[in-house]
């Protein structure tokens, strides 16, 4: 039996477009993509599968 390993904590980053106001979202990319509000982190996050997030970004860049 393999010993228990705690999952790694997500590494959050914000867009370079955020500016001084801080009105943005933070993203943590991994097997799933996590998205949260920078001003309301305590409210949790949304989880997207990597291919869903890539599809959203692709659509927004058009």
């Amino acid at each position: 039996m393999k010993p228990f390993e705690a999952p790694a904590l997500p590494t959050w980053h914000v867009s370079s477009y955020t500016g001084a106001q801080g009105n943005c979202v933070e993203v943590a990319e991994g097997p799933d993509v996590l998205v949260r509000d920078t001003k309301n982190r305590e409210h949790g996050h949304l989880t997207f599968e990597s291919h869903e997030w890539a599809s959203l970004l692709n659509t927004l860049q058009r």
Side-chain angles (χ1 to χ4, degrees):
M1 178 182 261
K2 189 166 111 175
F4 173 77
E5 292 181 27
L9 294 175
T11 301
W12 296 94
H13 62 275
V14 297
S15 169
S16 59
Y17 295 102
T18 299
Q21 298 88 3
N23 296 327
C24 201
V25 295
E26 295 177 312
V27 177
E29 297 169 305
D32 289 323
V33 177
L34 311 178
V35 181
R36 68 182 180 187
D37 184 348
T38 56
K39 290 190 174 186
N40 295 291
R41 293 178 179 124
E42 69 280 358
H43 289 232
H45 62 269
L46 300 174
T47 303
F48 299 91
E49 293 182 12
S50 295
H51 73 276
E52 294 173 322
W53 185 250
S55 179
L56 172 65
L57 295 180
N58 185 41
T59 299
L60 294 174
Q61 291 175 350
R62 292 182 187 176

